Amino acid sequence: DAGVTQSPTHLIKTRGQQVTLRCSPISGHKSVSWYQQVLGQGPQFIFQYYEKEERGRGNFPDRFSARQFPNYSSELNVNALLLGDSALYLCASSSGDMGALGNQPQHFGDGTRLSIL
Amino acid sequence: EDQVTQSPEALRLQEGESSSLNCSYTVSGLRGLFWYRQDPGKGPEFLFTLYSAGEEKEKERLKATLTKKESFLHITAPKPEDSATYLCAVNTGANSKLTFGKGITLSVRP
């Protein structure tokens, strides 16, 4: 079975531009979460969506937004890019709502490496 | 605020030299503790879920244990292919998120 797939794998943008990252969850998984990982750090939570509704939001500015589609795939949008947005953006899926069923594992894709020049 | 601290930051072992990685946590109510393995340029790969003190899980050379304040990932007779960064994360249900530690970079020399 296919795991979590993310596209593109790499992206180079300049400051002030906008970017859209895409994620397809594992078949049958209804929850998608987004994380930002900078070099040498653990992933930091950005959003969780379950059944197309936002269920959690991390400490990120409003330049970050996301949505989930009827087929449970998801997009992460970042506007007005800053140099500090350079990072690996990870998508993770799980079968249930992370807030309701806390012991369910999240399964991660290999991420999108975003570089801001 | 939930906090996860992993130690040591880096660990170098000789092949066959067993050791343990530590994850200590401060949370309001633990719903699950997770161990992941991350290879360079890849996303985290799920290893174990633990959710009650005293619980243990095993997979090949790895064994994870949980107490009320910390978790250990024991590596028995490691091989070079066990070299990776090991991440610990907790879910308290608040805000539907995983809170990660910074990870432990393990290098196993042949």
Side-chain angles (χ1 to χ4, degrees):
Chain A
D1 287 343
V4 176
T5 58
Q6 294 187 242
S7 63
T9 55
H10 295 86
L11 205 50
I12 299 175
K13 293 285 188 179
T14 58
R15 284 178 295 175
Q17 286 189 310
Q18 175 265 342
V19 68
T20 298
L21 311 181
R22 296 177 175 84
C23 171
S24 293
I26 292 171
S27 178
H29 283 191
K30 298 180 178 180
S31 172
V32 170
S33 298
W34 288 95
Y35 292 82
Q36 180 195 67
Q37 186 177 27
V38 299
L39 200 61
Q41 302 291 318
Q44 188 171 1
F45 175 74
I46 309 175
F47 288 109
Q48 192 221 356
Y49 278 77
Y50 178 70
E51 289 281 17
K52 301 180 288 297
E53 291 186 0
E54 182 183 303
R55 294 300 184 96
R57 173 185 286 256
N59 188 24
F60 280 81
D62 292 342
R63 300 184 295 108
F64 289 76
S65 63
R67 56 179 175 170
Q68 187 177 34
F69 299 99
N71 66 354
Y72 302 109
S73 67
S74 178
E75 288 182 350
L76 176 70
N77 295 284
V78 187
N79 294 321
L81 288 166
L82 304 174
L83 292 177
D85 295 330
S86 295
L88 180 67
Y89 288 85
L90 295 163
C91 174
S93 75
S94 62
S95 57
D97 180 359
M98 290 297 293
L101 301 171
N103 61 354
Q104 289 193 355
Q106 291 187 332
H107 298 274
F108 286 81
D110 285 337
T112 295
R113 172 71 62 186
L114 177 62
S115 299
I116 311 300
L117 303 180
Chain B
E1 186 176 328
D2 300 338
Q3 283 195 316
V4 178
T5 302
Q6 294 188 248
S7 62
E9 290 186 4
L11 185 62
R12 297 185 68 184
L13 299 175
Q14 196 70 33
E15 183 173 3
E17 179 187 3
S18 301
S19 188
S20 296
L21 314 181
N22 176 262
C23 171
S24 61
Y25 58 91
T26 305
V27 299
S28 54
L30 183 70
R31 291 196 177 189
L33 184 142
F34 304 86
W35 281 98
Y36 287 87
R37 168 191 170 129
Q38 187 172 26
D39 293 302
K42 300 288 188 180
E45 174 190 352
F46 170 70
L47 293 173
F48 302 110
T49 304
L50 304 164
Y51 63 95
S52 60
E55 189 175 4
E56 299 183 351
K57 294 274 181 74
E58 286 190 67
K59 179 182 179 180
E60 297 180 355
R61 295 178 293 282
L62 300 177
K63 179 180 177 180
T65 62
L66 181 66
T67 72
K68 287 187 178 180
K69 292 189 176 182
E70 58 190 355
S71 176
F72 291 94
L73 184 65
H74 307 278
I75 302 179
T76 302
K79 298 182 178 181
E81 53 262 41
D82 294 321
S83 298
T85 295
Y86 291 85
L87 294 163
C88 170
V90 297
N91 183 357
T92 61
N95 208 17
S96 302
K97 68 177 183 180
L98 286 181
T99 299
F100 281 85
K102 291 184 177 181
I104 298 169
T105 301
L106 174 66
S107 299
V108 182
R109 303 187 301 274

